[in-house]
Amino acid sequence: MPAPKSVIIRSVGVHTPERRVTNEELSRTVDTSDEWIRTRSGIGERRIAGPDENPSDMGAKAAAQALERAGLSPADVDLLVVATMTPDLPFPSTACLVQAKLGLRRDIPCFDIAAACSGFIYALQVAADMVRAGRYRRALVIGAEKLSSVVDWTDRSTCVLFGDAAGAAVVEACDTAGVGILANLLGADGSNAELLWAPAGGSAKPASAETLAAREHYLRMNGKEVFKLAVRVMASSCEKVLAEAGVASDQVACFIPHQANIRIIEAVAAQLGLGMDRFPLNLECFGNTSAASIPLALEQAWREGKVRHGDLVLMVAFGAGLTWGATLLRWHEPKR
Ligand code: COA
């Protein structure tokens, strides 16, 4: 197959669990309040998955919606990449479980990417580069998380921030030049890994009676440090990607930032000299859904007509690792 002229996001899909947990409901089990959570984070409620609703289930549903919207069937997919920090199992990958649940072809590559809240941007770039190289025509990229399974529901400084969801994109080779993904950037700084991590549960410290008693298998975060780094790195990632593409920030119709905290997003907007009207938000309803956050926000912005054919869209993320990434694209809806 010849290398394509460009690589586009052809369609998007989402799945969110039914169960809503409001701040008020949380305040009945941990020492917090709706007022504190809203003022410090912008979050009003989050969705919580049921015991039989795992990232592979949510991811498969989001992907099925994206495929249906593109008029495609599972047999049309050549590659599957799943971004998750809450895989269904230590192994095999969540991608292999999604492959089976969706009924994708049995001969395609399927793998997971672990880049926490930057996972969707990482997965998108890896899939897009594989499509750009000409070997695969169409990829499914999924961000799927069940963060409710790794947050410590007794730790008020973290449990109020996260939620469960999945989002998916069909990433496709396109014969029109100058559309789709125009520029991107990925980065990481492992020297700050312990700012946001789970100390136990991996092979370095397998789960044991001691780690369970010490609650070390749950997510831990230095919120203040993560906050400062997130603002700095998300703003500079946007600036670098815009400079690479030769695009001014006010030419971008819609920014899709990782939805972790409204104050982080406001600070990034201010640093770019832009108003919040270009930054659609969904964290009030979903909280931080990690790798699902960007496709969830992108899908909503697209559905509400805030992302239209020909628009420049800039997605930017930051997360545990630490990791970050940004992707600038010209939204393109090919005629069918
Ligand atoms: N309800 C009520 N009080 C709470 C609380 C809660 N849910 N969580 C913490 N507090 C208390 C703290 O105990 C502290 O009390 P103290 O002053 O008596 O010690 C006080 O509120 C202030 O806490 P602090 O941590 O300084 O608040 P903050 O303004 O830094 O906000 C975060 C905390 C977590 C909301 C903020 O740091 C943040 O959003 N960080 C980035 C997190 C993030 O987005 N991570 C994911 C990146 S991908």
Side-chain angles (χ1 to χ4, degrees):
M1 230 180 342
K5 291 194 174 137
S6 48
V7 180
I8 60 167
I9 291 185
R10 162 98 178 257
S11 65
V12 280
V14 295
H15 178 77
T16 53
E18 284 292 309
R19 174 148 157 65
R20 311 169 111 94
V21 174
T22 61
N23 293 343
E24 200 277 321
E25 183 177 344
L26 268 187
S27 72
R28 286 182 237 144
T29 50
V30 282
D31 182 13
T32 189
S33 66
D34 179 52
E35 201 265 331
W36 192 96
I37 302 170
R38 276 183 195 277
T39 327
R40 300 293 176 116
S41 71
I43 297 164
E45 59 182 49
R46 69 285 300 139
R47 300 294 178 93
I48 301 296
D52 297 325
E53 199 173 21
N54 296 316
S56 67
D57 304 299
M58 295 187 279
K61 286 181 181 157
Q65 186 181 56
L67 285 173
E68 198 210 320
R69 283 174 171 168
L72 295 166
S73 78
D76 298 318
V77 176
D78 306 320
L79 166 70
L80 168 64
V81 189
V82 174
T84 184
M85 61 178 272
T86 51
D88 289 33
L89 304 167
F91 59 88
S93 69
T94 300
C96 288
L97 305 179
V98 171
Q99 177 193 26
K101 284 178 184 172
L102 261 181
L104 302 183
R105 292 200 320 264
R106 291 192 192 174
D107 58 351
I108 65 166
C110 301
F111 58 93
D112 286 4
I113 281 196
C117 301
S118 313
F120 184 79
I121 298 293
Y122 266 67
L124 177 63
Q125 186 160 326
V126 168
D129 285 348
M130 288 173 77
V131 170
R132 202 183 299 280
R135 185 150 170 195
Y136 306 94
R137 179 162 175 77
R138 187 173 298 111
L140 260 179
V141 177
I142 297 174
E145 301 283 14
K146 191 172 178 179
L147 291 154
S148 59
S149 68
V150 295
V151 300
D152 183 344
W153 289 101
T154 65
D155 175 7
R156 69 176 181 172
S157 71
T158 53
C159 74
V160 301
L161 301 173
F162 297 96
D164 303 334
V170 173
V171 173
E172 197 175 83
C174 175
D175 290 337
T176 308
V179 299
I181 296 171
L182 303 179
N184 48 33
L185 166 156
L186 299 178
D189 172 11
S191 69
N192 273 320
E194 292 177 17
L195 289 181
L196 179 45
W197 69 322
S203 58
K205 206 174 195 187
S208 65
E210 290 75 34
T211 63
L212 291 183
R215 310 186 79 75
E216 287 178 325
H217 54 296
Y218 288 126
L219 176 155
R220 290 186 182 177
M221 177 170 69
N222 179 335
K224 270 200 193 322
E225 280 310 307
V226 170
F227 189 103
K228 283 189 273 183
L229 288 166
V231 173
R232 179 145 40 89
V233 172
M234 283 169 77
S236 71
S237 299
C238 289
E239 284 160 359
K240 284 180 192 160
V241 162
L242 290 169
E244 184 190 327
V247 167
S249 60
D250 63 2
Q251 289 176 272
V252 177
C254 190
F255 286 77
I256 308 286
H258 170 48
Q259 310 274 314
N261 186 314
I262 192 169
R263 293 185 298 139
I264 295 178
I265 298 172
E266 285 168 349
V268 171
Q271 208 151 313
L272 295 172
L274 296 169
M276 284 294 284
D277 51 320
R278 287 174 209 246
F279 289 74
L281 300 172
N282 69 8
L283 78 160
E284 193 198 347
C285 302
F286 299 108
N288 180 348
T289 57
S290 191
S293 147
I294 286 192
L296 207 61
L298 176 65
E299 192 270 350
Q300 185 172 329
W302 167 78
R303 204 165 14 87
E304 291 174 354
K306 292 175 184 155
V307 167
R308 284 180 299 214
H309 182 74
D311 280 352
L312 284 171
V313 178
L314 177 43
M315 303 182 280
V316 60
F318 180 86
L322 300 171
T323 55
W324 55 90
T327 304
L328 177 71
L329 55 88
R330 189 171 295 284
W331 193 256
H332 182 74
E333 297 185 358
K335 291 200 177 64
R336 281 204 245 153

